[in-house]
């Protein structure tokens, strides 16, 4: 029997290179810092690492503004450092996923600089979306940037260029064959250097329609796209169906071509995961049709409340939608764009939810620091770096809190992360959350993650689908318990503030905290905790 490809149920550890470990004392994490901590990563029990961008970049958007996609920014090291990192990862059986950013370049990329100097009507400008102003001098359309402010910036000769994100991130024109050729070259470049896969940034945004047409409600649309803006869900969903620059049919043609490129590497099983925020949810599955990409992120758990109905719906929907294209879901509780799960739902709850999710079919993403139970860091306005903060004039605080560097060891901030001043401050209150401390504490979040990933690998990967347990009456909002069985494992989560009786089959093999006690021939599951029972 042919074994499943490595990525199908992989646990993937997301590293934000600037915040992982600083090897040279300049206050920013780097590639050598990652390489020197691969044993820590391996011992977590993950299968692969995903590296957020480390390419040449003026760093206006945390490296998602790429000035040279085939080189390394000096702040992170050089190409030899990447090769060493990959070699050391592979020696430990860890795969490496690179982050590719095809929607836009940095304005410092030579193509954009050439476009500026070549002027209107030039071939160089056709690689981006350059248009003349409207007769009244306004931009070609009324779209609002996802980071706030207009989506268009004017250059000296009066033309405007489109940028869905910061003005330093001009969108590429995917109607232009040169753009296709350049990205294929970039993909091959990194595969030839040894990477095993790609996370595709803004995978749903490459193709735009009606670039010269106004949106009827640009401010409404902009609010609908912001998860932190409250809005009636029917209204939000209706607006999300009208995004003129996301999820157009043309993107799928691009991924079909890329899939052929990946498959041409045969046994290396090169994989790709799409960052695609699309609506309605079924559309996400189009990215993982058999001839397209391998995985698509499911972002629902990044915003889901700690509530049995919500979680049941999110999990059930993701499993069933993916099944329509014979794919498995992906799960993520945190990433570099969202508040950390501990800050969002609470520490105990975050542990319970992680343990519950680790039992599910599919692939799980863990954002570095999540295993330690880190909350968002406290960042003062003067320390902020996220372009959303600047483009909204401070109205939106941005994503820096989730990007504060990791605490490693010792009693004093910055806890071994750097010999210098960290680029974002690490709070002294993280003293008990260092890797060193948690390794020494059998009750720590880190120990829970390590044990769960070990048991997951042994008993759950490849164990097929889940069966929701009827005793839990899932689906009604007030339920205290959610439970499922999968293979020989029964997984239960108590979402309430009181201990709950549960008729468990098998032996308790792990829990997320508290003490599971026997009670009336059943088990008493502590408040806001999860447990695994093995038959
Ligand atoms: C999604 C990335 O995750 C985010 O960090 C970035 O700002 C935008 N795409 C633009 O590249």
């Amino acid at each position: 029997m042919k074994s499943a490809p490595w990525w199908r149920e992989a646990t993937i550890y997301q590293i934000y290179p600037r915040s992982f470990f600083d090897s040279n004392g300049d206050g920013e994490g780097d590639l050598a810092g990652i390489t020197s901590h691969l044993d820590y990563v391996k011992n977590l029990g993950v299968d692969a690492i995903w590296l957020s961008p480390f390419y040449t970049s003026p760093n206006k958007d945390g490296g998602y503004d790429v000035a040279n996609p085939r080189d390394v920014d000096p702040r992170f090291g050089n190409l030899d450092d990447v090769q060493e990192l990959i070699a050391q990862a592979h020696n430990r059986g860890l795969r490496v996923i690179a982050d590719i950013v095809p929607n836009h370049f940095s304005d410092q990329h030579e193509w954009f600089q050439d476009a500026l100097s070549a002027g209107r009507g030039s071939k160089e400008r056709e690689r981006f979306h350059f248009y003349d102003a409207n007769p009244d001098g306004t931009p070609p359309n009324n779209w609002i940037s996802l980071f706030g402010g207009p989506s268009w910036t004017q250059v000296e000769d009066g033309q405007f260029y489109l940028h869905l994100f910061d003005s330093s991130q001009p969108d590429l024109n995917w109607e232009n064959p040169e753009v296709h050729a350049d990205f294929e070259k970039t993909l091959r470049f990194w595969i030839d250097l040894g990477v095993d896969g790609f996370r595709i940034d803004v995978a749903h945004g490459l193709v735009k329609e009606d670039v010269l047409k106004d949106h009827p409600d640009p401010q409404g649309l902009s609010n609908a796209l912001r998860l932190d803006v409250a809005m009636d869900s029917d209204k939000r969903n209706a607006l999300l169906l009208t995004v003129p620059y996301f999820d157009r049919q043309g993107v799928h043609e691009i991924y079909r071509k890329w899939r052929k490129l990946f498959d041409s590497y045969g046994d290396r099983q090169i994989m790709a995961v799409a960052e695609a925020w699309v609506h309605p949810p079924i559309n996400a599955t189009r990215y993982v049709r058999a001839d397209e990409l391998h995985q698509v992120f499911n972002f629902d758990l990044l915003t889901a409340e700690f509530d049995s109905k919500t979680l049941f719906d999110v999990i059930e929907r993701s499993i069933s939608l993916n099944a329509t294209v014979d794919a498995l879901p992906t799960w993520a509780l945190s990433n570099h764009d969202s508040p950390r799960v501990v800050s969002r739902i609470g520490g105990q709850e975050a542990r319970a939810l992680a343990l519950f999710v680790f039992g599910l079919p599919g692939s799980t993403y863990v954002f570095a620091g999540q295993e330690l139970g880190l909350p968002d860091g406290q960042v003062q306005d003067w320390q902020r770096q996220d372009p959303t903060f600047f483009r909204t004039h401070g109205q939106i605080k941005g994503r820096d809190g989730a990007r504060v560097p990791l605490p490693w060891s010792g009693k004093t901030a910055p806890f071994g992360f750097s010999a210098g001043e960290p680029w974002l401050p690490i709070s002294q209150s993280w003293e008990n959350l260092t890797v060193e401390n948690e390794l020494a504490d059998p009750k720590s979040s880190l120990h829970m993650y390590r044990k769960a990933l070990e048991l997951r690998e042994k008993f759950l990967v490849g164990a097929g689908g889940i069966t929701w347990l009827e005793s839990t009456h899932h689906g009604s909002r007030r339920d205290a318990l959610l439970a499922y069985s999968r293979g020989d494992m029964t997984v239960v989560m108590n979402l309430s503030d009181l201990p709950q009786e549960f008729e468990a089959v098998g032996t308790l093999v792990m829990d997320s905290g508290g003490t599971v006690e026997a009670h009336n021939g059943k088990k008493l599951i502590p408040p806001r905790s999860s447990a695994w029972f093995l038959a």
Side-chain angles (χ1 to χ4, degrees):
M1 202 181 81
K2 210 169 168 243
S3 62
W6 71 270
W7 43 266
R8 204 158 148 91
E9 293 209 60
T11 309
I12 297 169
Y13 187 67
Q14 180 192 357
I15 294 181
Y16 197 70
R18 207 174 172 202
S19 299
F20 194 66
F21 189 87
D22 172 18
S23 72
N24 62 6
D26 65 359
E28 301 187 67
D30 44 48
L31 294 170
I34 300 170
T35 307
S36 63
H37 287 75
L38 286 174
D39 284 334
Y40 168 74
V41 177
K42 177 66 188 171
N43 289 336
L44 264 177
V46 300
D47 303 293
I49 55 176
W50 148 29
L51 301 169
S52 282
F54 48 77
Y55 318 113
T56 318
S57 165
N59 200 29
K60 292 275 174 56
D61 180 26
Y64 285 92
D65 48 322
V66 178
N68 182 351
R70 298 186 285 273
D71 205 351
V72 174
D73 197 275
R75 77 178 68 230
F76 296 122
N78 56 37
L79 282 170
D80 288 342
D81 294 321
V82 184
Q83 270 177 307
E84 179 63 12
L85 193 167
I86 295 172
Q88 292 294 337
H90 286 172
N91 281 344
R92 289 165 177 77
L94 291 167
R95 314 262 180 166
V96 179
I97 295 175
D99 209 321
I100 188 154
V101 190
N103 181 66
H104 43 265
F105 275 157
S106 157
D107 60 359
Q108 299 307 305
H109 189 288
E110 65 171 2
W111 274 14
F112 192 76
Q113 291 298 314
D114 290 349
L116 290 183
S117 46
R120 57 154 44 80
S122 62
K123 262 178 55 222
E124 287 79 358
R125 286 209 175 170
E126 281 168 19
R127 294 161 168 164
F128 301 92
H129 298 278
F130 273 94
Y131 289 96
D132 287 333
N134 290 326
D136 63 358
T138 55
N141 74 26
N142 63 0
W143 297 353
I144 295 177
S145 149
L146 292 147
F147 286 169
S151 270
W152 297 90
T153 291
Q154 196 161 29
V155 301
E156 252 176 34
D157 59 26
Q159 280 208 308
F160 282 89
Y161 64 90
L162 175 72
H163 51 89
L164 293 185
F165 296 90
D166 189 48
S167 57
S168 68
Q169 293 166 294
D171 277 47
L172 285 157
N173 174 12
W174 278 87
E175 304 274 309
N176 186 323
E178 283 185 85
V179 173
H180 288 249
D182 192 69
F183 269 86
E184 283 160 29
K185 188 169 164 191
T186 298
L187 293 171
R188 289 191 187 282
F189 178 87
W190 293 109
I191 299 172
D192 293 341
L193 215 87
V195 312
D196 304 287
F198 298 94
R199 177 261 188 194
I200 303 173
D201 189 67
V202 203
H204 54 319
L206 278 44
V207 175
K208 282 92 184 165
E209 269 173 31
D210 303 330
V211 170
L212 296 178
K213 197 169 149 197
D214 281 347
H215 187 274
D217 180 8
Q219 191 56 54
L221 179 61
S222 167
N223 292 340
L225 286 163
R226 295 213 57 93
L227 300 173
D228 49 359
V229 175
M231 189 184 282
D232 169 73
S233 66
D234 288 344
K235 185 170 177 211
R236 168 169 272 138
N237 290 340
L239 280 161
L240 290 179
L241 291 174
T242 68
V243 195
Y245 40 78
F246 282 162
D247 203 28
R248 319 311 295 180
Q249 284 312 305
V251 295
H252 297 290
E253 293 313 315
I254 298 170
Y255 300 130
R256 290 199 173 101
K257 268 172 62 189
W258 286 17
R259 177 60 180 256
K260 290 200 179 109
L261 187 156
F262 300 146
D263 285 351
S264 73
Y265 289 83
D267 285 351
R268 285 193 49 197
Q269 297 187 357
I270 304 298
M271 69 81 81
V273 53
E275 188 216 18
W277 299 79
V278 296
H279 189 78
I282 182 82
N283 284 12
T285 62
R286 296 187 184 161
Y287 293 77
V288 288
R289 287 178 288 200
D291 59 347
E292 295 196 36
L293 303 174
H294 305 79
Q295 293 182 347
V296 58
F297 281 119
N298 158 20
F299 295 114
D300 294 346
L301 290 177
L302 295 174
T303 51
E305 284 169 41
F306 190 68
D307 156 278
S308 61
K309 174 161 171 48
T310 310
L311 292 170
F312 172 81
D313 287 348
V314 161
I315 292 169
E316 183 56 25
R317 181 172 77 189
S318 190
I319 292 176
S320 53
L321 289 183
N322 276 284
T324 63
V325 283
D326 195 27
L328 290 179
T330 60
W331 310 105
L333 303 186
S334 287
N335 66 24
H336 64 294
D337 290 329
S338 338
R340 283 190 177 271
V341 62
V342 165
S343 295
R344 207 172 62 72
I345 63 172
Q348 237 176 298
E349 292 82 348
R351 281 171 71 142
L353 186 57
L355 189 57
F356 194 75
V357 163
F358 283 150
L360 293 170
S363 191
T364 299
Y365 285 75
V366 174
F367 179 43
Q370 185 188 325
E371 74 280 15
L372 302 172
L374 292 186
D376 276 352
Q378 297 300 316
V379 181
Q380 305 302 316
D381 283 355
W382 63 269
Q383 295 161 320
R384 293 195 184 278
Q385 315 242 344
D386 187 341
T388 55
F389 177 74
F390 302 107
R391 288 186 63 88
T392 62
H393 308 289
Q395 232 182 320
I396 292 168
K397 294 294 180 194
R399 304 160 291 178
D400 294 311
R403 300 174 178 180
V404 167
L406 263 54
W408 289 91
S409 57
K411 297 276 161 227
T412 327
F415 303 114
F417 162 72
S418 170
E421 184 76 17
W423 69 281
L424 285 175
I426 307 181
S427 163
Q428 185 57 38
S429 67
W430 286 9
E431 187 178 341
N432 294 327
L433 297 173
T434 62
V435 169
E436 183 182 47
N437 230 17
E438 295 209 16
L439 281 174
D441 173 7
K443 292 204 160 314
S444 67
S445 173
L446 177 56
H447 271 280
M448 187 201 85
Y449 271 71
R450 299 212 317 184
K451 187 166 175 196
L453 293 178
E454 191 188 325
L455 293 177
R456 169 187 154 91
E457 178 70 30
K458 210 159 151 191
F459 297 108
L460 289 156
V461 168
I466 65 168
T467 306
W468 291 103
L469 296 181
E470 299 193 28
S471 60
T472 61
H473 309 293
H474 50 71
S476 74
R477 180 159 282 272
R478 297 260 163 243
D479 276 350
L481 294 181
L482 266 188
Y484 61 85
S485 68
R486 183 170 183 227
D488 293 333
M489 200 71 87
T490 297
V491 176
V492 60
M493 172 161 61
N494 176 4
L495 296 106
S496 77
D497 291 335
L498 297 171
Q500 299 289 333
E501 279 186 2
F502 178 66
E503 199 159 342
V505 179
T507 317
L508 175 76
V509 284
M510 81 167 295
D511 59 69
S512 69
T515 311
V516 177
E517 285 170 6
H519 186 73
N520 293 339
K522 299 185 178 170
K523 291 286 192 282
L524 211 52
I525 312 295
R528 287 170 280 129
S529 77
S530 293
W532 285 8
F533 297 89
L534 187 63

